[in-house]
Amino acid sequence: MSDSTPYQLLEVDENASFDEVQEARTRLAEHYSNDRKRLESIEAAYDAILMDRLRQRQEGKIKVPERIRFPERLSPPTTSFTPSAPSGSPAWLQRLIDTPSRSDILWPAGIYAGLGGLSIYPAANNSLLQLTLALGVGSCLYFLNRKEQKFGRALLLTLLALVFGLLLGGLLTSAVNPAFITTEKFIALFTFLTLWLVSSFLR
């Protein structure tokens, strides 16, 4: 047994393919699973064959199969997922609209609900309304700037939201004429709603 070559120990021919060598090693290892000494000789023979094949490859005596040299050629190309843009919407609008997480919606909502509650408080005067609006504008600016770290863009969107909220709130007040709160408080509430929508769903 000691004079046997590694190929004889694995019971394969010297011209056996790599797959045949592996199959022989697996078959013999299963057959002699309870014989530790024989298992060690099988592993040693397998390692010796691998080293011999490596030496032959370096000397150019054997050609390595393409599937071993270039396994990536056999594997199908991985398709990277690219979300398709909604049809009909321009690119600038897609870059502007955000898909917020739950916390990105609830945090601003809580702040604007609190500011809205302060603004409609019965004892609230014009000074308090101005303070709550200033806090609302600052909050919108903070939430927008936090998303992409673009202060100029965040400032522009915040100012647009403020102007839009004030104008549309004034128009709705003249159309609806709410009796339960004053005109200024109604406009402030509508402005808070606009600021919340912009800070949550735009970026």
Side-chain angles (χ1 to χ4, degrees):
M1 182 72 76
S2 60
D3 295 332
S4 301
T5 67
Y7 292 96
Q8 290 171 338
L9 285 173
L10 287 188
E11 301 173 3
V12 293
D13 189 78
E14 290 191 11
N15 296 322
S17 67
F18 181 72
D19 287 337
E20 290 172 337
V21 172
Q22 279 193 316
E23 287 171 9
R25 172 202 180 199
T26 304
R27 175 175 44 81
L28 291 172
E30 289 175 357
H31 183 71
Y32 296 105
S33 58
N34 296 325
D35 189 344
R36 184 176 175 182
K37 192 171 183 179
R38 189 63 185 266
L39 284 174
E40 288 176 359
S41 65
I42 290 170
E43 287 300 321
Y46 178 74
D47 292 341
I49 291 174
L50 289 184
M51 294 303 293
D52 182 51
R53 293 289 173 92
L54 178 61
R55 180 184 53 77
Q56 290 181 21
R57 178 187 168 192
Q58 289 172 341
E59 293 173 359
K61 294 180 179 178
I62 60 171
K63 183 181 178 183
V64 180
E66 291 285 320
R67 63 182 181 77
I68 296 175
R69 291 178 63 199
F70 307 106
E72 66 277 2
R73 291 183 183 174
L74 298 177
S75 59
T78 57
T79 56
S80 58
F81 174 74
T82 52
S84 58
S87 57
S89 60
W92 65 267
L93 184 60
Q94 296 169 27
R95 290 193 300 268
L96 189 63
I97 296 176
D98 189 20
T99 307
S101 64
R102 190 172 183 177
S103 63
D104 288 338
I105 295 174
L106 293 180
W107 271 108
I111 290 172
Y112 287 117
L115 292 174
L118 280 175
S119 65
I120 62 171
Y121 187 68
N125 54 20
N126 286 338
S127 299
L128 185 59
L129 276 177
Q130 291 172 4
L131 177 62
T132 55
L133 276 173
L135 290 173
V137 168
S139 300
C140 185
L141 183 60
Y142 166 75
F143 286 122
L144 285 172
N145 187 55
R146 188 182 64 167
K147 292 182 183 180
E148 301 220 350
Q149 302 297 320
K150 295 180 180 177
F151 183 78
R153 181 173 172 172
L155 181 62
L156 178 63
L157 288 175
T158 301
L159 291 177
L160 288 174
L162 176 64
V163 172
F164 181 79
L166 291 173
L167 289 177
L168 198 57
L171 291 173
L172 287 175
T173 303
S174 60
V176 176
N177 193 17
F180 56 94
I181 56 173
T182 64
T183 302
E184 293 80 10
K185 292 181 179 180
F186 180 83
I187 293 174
L189 283 179
F190 194 85
T191 304
F192 289 141
L193 175 64
T194 307
L195 290 170
W196 170 70
L197 288 172
V198 168
S199 63
S200 296
F201 298 101
L202 296 183
R203 59 182 172 190

